């Protein structure tokens, strides 16, 4: 989180006017303040509402934590891949929440021309999603949605 936010502070104060290629025509440095609050907010109005996005952000943090608690209940030892999912996912979620609350959106600065512009937080979240999907395929029978919901319900009761 510290790296993501420090980089954004430096860019916001010293580099907002710059625009240059990082890797040929593939990746550019092009800072832009995304006030739509999410990628989906560029296309769907409700996803650019501050309170809706903060609520969704908190919900995703809850899903990460509760999913991890269920995982820990089922397994004594946490695998490196699950640790990577938790570190990248929670860091990305917390950075996203900080962006919404303190920046009014995300300061995106890495651009793939003609596609999209993103930041380090988006990289963290993408890494977590990729590892999660890779793990979900072979282990999809170990935890069901029904089991997860029952676990959450039981935790809320106690």
């Amino acid at each position: 989180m510290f790296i993501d936010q420090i980089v954004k502070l430096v860019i916001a104060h010293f580099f907002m006017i710059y625009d240059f290629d990082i890797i040929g025509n593939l990746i550019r440095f092009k800072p832009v303040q995304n006030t739509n609050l999410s990628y989906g907010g560029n296309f769907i109005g409700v996803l650019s509402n501050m309170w809706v996005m903060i609520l969704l952000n908190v919900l995703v943090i809850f899903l990460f934590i509760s999913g991890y608690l269920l995982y820990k209940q089922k397994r004594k030892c946490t695998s490196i891949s699950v640790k990577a999912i938790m570190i990248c996912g929670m860091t990305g979620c917390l950075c996203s929440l900080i962006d919404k609350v303190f920046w009014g959106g995300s300061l995106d600065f890495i651009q793939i021309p003609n596609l999209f512009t993103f930041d380090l937080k988006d990289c963290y979240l993408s890494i977590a999603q990729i590892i999660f999907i890779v793990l979900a395929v072979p282990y999809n029978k170990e935890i069901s949605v029904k089991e997860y919901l029952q676990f959450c319900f039981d935790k809320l009761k106690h």
Side-chain angles (χ1 to χ4, degrees), residues 69 73 150-158:
L69 291 173
Q73 180 176 298
Q150 185 63 49
F151 172 80
C152 290
F153 181 74
D154 291 345
K155 288 293 181 189
L156 290 173
K157 275 189 347 188
H158 298 297

Side-chain angles (χ1 to χ4, degrees), residues 7 9-20 29 31:
V7 166
L9 284 170
V10 170
I11 290 170
H13 285 89
F14 302 109
F15 296 101
M16 286 301 290
I17 60 171
Y18 295 98
D19 179 351
F20 55 86
F29 175 84

Side-chain angles (χ1 to χ4, degrees), residues 26-82:
L26 297 175
I27 299 177
R28 295 187 55 75
F29 175 84
K30 185 172 182 151
V32 61
Q33 183 71 28
N34 180 356
T35 56
N36 289 328
L37 304 175
S38 70
Y39 180 73
N42 294 315
F43 310 104
I44 303 168
V46 71
L47 296 178
S48 63
N49 177 287
M50 175 73 76
W51 296 109
V52 169
M53 292 313 298
I54 288 173
L55 182 63
L56 282 174
N57 215 145
V58 171
L59 176 63
V60 171
I61 291 169
F62 170 79
L63 291 172
F64 263 103
I65 293 169
S66 60
Y68 182 70
L69 291 173
L70 176 58
Y71 171 86
K72 288 299 290 177
Q73 180 176 298
K74 293 179 77 78
R75 298 206 174 199
K76 299 297 179 218
C77 184
T78 304
S79 70
I80 291 173
S81 51
V82 171

Side-chain angles (χ1 to χ4, degrees), residues 1 8 12 24 40 46 56 59 63-64 69 73 86 94 96 102 104 108-109 132 138-139 144-146:
M1 282 185 337
K8 288 176 183 174
V46 71
L56 282 174
L59 176 63
L63 291 172
F64 263 103
L69 291 173
Q73 180 176 298
M86 288 305 298
L94 292 171
S96 180
F102 295 105
D108 295 330
F109 54 90
F132 181 82
Y139 296 106
S144 69
V145 173
K146 182 179 177 181

